[in-house]
Every structure is written in C-alpha cells, then in structure tokens.
Amino acid sequence: MRFLQAYPKEVKVFLIASLINATGSALMWPLVTMYVFDELGRSMKDAGIVLLVQSLGGIAGQLLGGSLYHKVGVNRLIVGALAMNALTLFALPWASGSWSIFIIVMGLMGLFNSLSLPAIQAFIGFRFAEQRGELFNIIYVSNNIGVALGTALSGFLGNYMLSFVLNGVTSAVFAGFFFVYLRKVGTAPPHEKAQKKHPQGEASGWKLLGHTRIYLYMAIGSMFLLIGNSIWNTGVSPFIISEGWSKQLYGFLWTLNGVLIFAAQPLVSLIKRWFAETPSSQMTASAVFYLGGYAVILFMPSYPGMLLAMVLATLGEMLISPAMPSFISEHAQHSAPFYLGLSGGIGAVGRVIGPYLMGIQFDRGGLAPTGWLACGMAVLSVGFFAVHAYINRSAAGTRRNTA
C-alpha cells in the first residue's frame, strides 16, 4: 500500500486494526439468516425478525453512541462498546438454546456494534482534522477489503459457531487495541495537545436537534437511498432465482462491487475534481449515480443491465460513504459525535424498512415495481441532498457577509 507512505505510523496502525476488525465482522453477517434457518430450524420469517431486531439495536446504538461521546469519554465508550460486543458474540452458543434469549442477544449485538461507530468516526475527525476527508475514504476502502476477506473466510470455515467466536475475538482484540492506542496518541489533533479548545459545557440534545441544516436533510436523503438500495436483496436476488439463472451470478455482482471499490478510486477522484469537490456536492452526485443504477435495473432487466447498475450504484456508494462523516466533522466541530450518531440512526431506518417495502412490491409484480420504488426513493434522495447543499451554501454565504 504505497499510498499510505504519506501518513504517520499512528494512522497506518489504526488502518491495519480496522482491517482486522472488519474482517472479523464480515465472518458473521452473511451467516445469520442461514444459521437461523439451517441450524436453529426456524422459518425465513423468523430469520427476518432476527435481522429486524438486530437493525433496531443498531439504530439505538448509533443514537446513543453519538450522545455519550463527551459524557463518557472516547476511550471508555469505544473500548466498552467493543468489549460488550465481543461478550455478546461469545454468548451466542449459549443463547441459541432459547429462541427468546437468542433474539435478545442479537439485539444487544446490534446495539453494542453500532455504539462505537459514531465514536470512532468522531475520533478520526477530531484527531486527524487536517486529513479527515482522505482518511474517511481510506478507512472505507480498508473496511471493504476486510469485508471481502471475511465473507470469503466465512465460506471456507463452514462452521457457524467458529465464525461467531472468531468475530468475538477480533472485536475483543480491537477493544484492546483502542485501549492502548488512545492512551498513546490521545484524541486531540497534535497542534492542540497543549491546549484544550473544546468548551467545557455541553449543549443539550434538544438544542442540538434544532440545528437541522447540519444533519436532517442529509440524513433523510441517506434514509431514502438505503430504502432504494434494498432492491439488490429483495428485488434483484429473487428475480435471478425466478429466472432460473445461477445463484453465482448474484454473488458475482457483489464481487464486482468489491473490485470497483479499489479499482475505481482514480475515477472517483476525477469525479470529485470535476464536479463534486465538496462533501455536499458528493452526496448529491452519489444519489444521481444510484438513480442511474436503479433506472438501468428498471429498463434493462437483464444480466448485463444488472452489471451496469452495480457499476453505477458502487460509484454512488464510493462518493457518499466518506462524504457524510467528513461534512459533519467539519461543520459540527465539538458536537460532531452527536450528529454522527443521529444521522447514522436516521439513515439506518431505511435499512430496516427497505426490505419490507421492496418485498411487498416484488410480490405484487416482480422486478419492475421494485425498480420504480427504488427510482422514486433515489429522486427523493437527490432532492434532499440538493436542499442540504443549498441551505449550507446559503449559511456559509451569510457568515461571510457578516464577517
């Protein structure tokens, strides 16, 4: 990784640890549905309930993690959340004996896993303020390398419990890493170590909620995108099966997604340089690419169409994933953890309700209704991101005129 040579050793160590943690997390998530259906002998409806509970726990974790950042402290919050996540993973073999306990443990897993996410993003935004935009993108790429490795290993291991335990081990190792790492490097930017620039008082959550321009329109746009993106699992996947195509063709779509995240970085850099320089414009451009992908699925319901749609959707993913935490870290300053958790929680609602809405549409008429729904969601997303960009551009102009 020659591109990492420009970064200090503490950044490289953090990226390696993130890669290991992402690999461990990816060992489990492809197996949850299969484990419930195959090992526990439950229905697919029950598997859906488990995923729903886990997702709801994740939303609660995002909201709670952002609110607790300054109250609990970054070290205790991140280390504690990762350690508790590891304990829930180690508890899965015991919890599987009771369906009710298993659901509760899966909900707690979603909670603790997401509890650390806004805290880690805020830490990056605070500690590496001058390079935050680049680092959010590099970490996004690194995590996707981990996901690719983890999903490949999960199939190779072929053992549910071993995969769950290894996930717990990587989470525990990541907790230990952060315990040592944060004590060594601190949380403030190097030029601020000698002076504490954050205010002592913390604004109330209700007061922070009033600053809607920072998070609301962006978060709602993200929510609509995630609803539309459910078309892959609850539209494209059953369509491929119903057409009698090989299931491997669906897996290849995600292989293409992973390859593009690495190979298309120069193209995304050009897109940013030409017409999407700011995080706000990158979000809008992302929604346009997603819209293009969904339109291709709708009007070209063939496998070449699916490949082209995945290319467009992946470009959209690559634009938005680093842009949202970068914007919040830059504009929210001391309150960034709260807004990172809040926007992440609102956006995750789309991941919860999307499969249900797409499933209804697919049952009614196959792929076409899901394509129309996805396109409609993307159009709404473009609108909300455009409003977000306009409001923040106007606010910036007002501040310059009054300065």
Side-chain angles (χ1 to χ4, degrees), residues 235-245 301-303 306 362 366-367:
V236 171
S237 175
F239 174 76
I240 287 176
I241 295 172
S242 64
E243 291 292 302
W245 300 347
S302 61
Y303 195 68
M306 305 293 177
F362 190 86
L367 185 64

Side-chain angles (χ1 to χ4, degrees), residues 148-187:
L149 292 173
T151 49
L153 283 173
S154 67
F156 175 76
L157 291 173
N159 184 293
Y160 295 116
M161 288 305 166
L162 180 59
S163 297
F164 297 165
V165 169
L166 286 177
N167 187 0
V169 170
T170 58
S171 185
V173 168
F174 204 37
F177 161 79
F178 259 108
F179 180 79
V180 175
Y181 184 75
L182 291 175
R183 287 173 175 267
K184 182 178 180 180
V185 306
T187 59

Side-chain angles (χ1 to χ4, degrees), residues 208-209 211-219 339 342-343 346:
L208 293 175
L209 284 173
H211 301 302
T212 54
R213 71 171 183 84
I214 294 178
Y215 73 94
L216 184 61
Y217 307 102
M218 174 181 67
Y339 291 116
L342 183 60
S343 61
I346 294 172

Side-chain angles (χ1 to χ4, degrees), residues 10 123-132 185-198:
E10 62 190 43
F123 162 73
I124 296 167
F126 288 146
R127 182 62 180 80
F128 308 108
E130 295 178 357
Q131 299 169 302
R132 63 166 74 102
V185 306
T187 59
H191 60 279
E192 290 185 9
K193 283 186 176 180
Q195 52 182 336
K196 188 176 180 67
K197 292 200 173 184
H198 295 321

Side-chain angles (χ1 to χ4, degrees), residues 82-112:
L82 291 170
M84 292 302 295
N85 185 54
L87 289 177
T88 57
L89 285 159
F90 293 142
L92 271 180
W94 166 78
S96 299
S98 168
W99 178 242
S100 299
I101 295 177
F102 178 77
I103 291 178
I104 293 172
V105 171
M106 291 299 293
L108 291 173
M109 188 184 306
L111 172 70
F112 292 127

Side-chain angles (χ1 to χ4, degrees), residues 329-343:
S329 296
E330 180 181 344
H331 289 78
Q333 299 179 354
H334 181 66
S335 300
F338 176 85
Y339 291 116
L340 285 166
L342 183 60
S343 61

Side-chain angles (χ1 to χ4, degrees), residues 292-305:
Y294 301 151
V296 168
I297 293 174
L298 178 61
F299 296 110
M300 291 178 58
S302 61
Y303 195 68

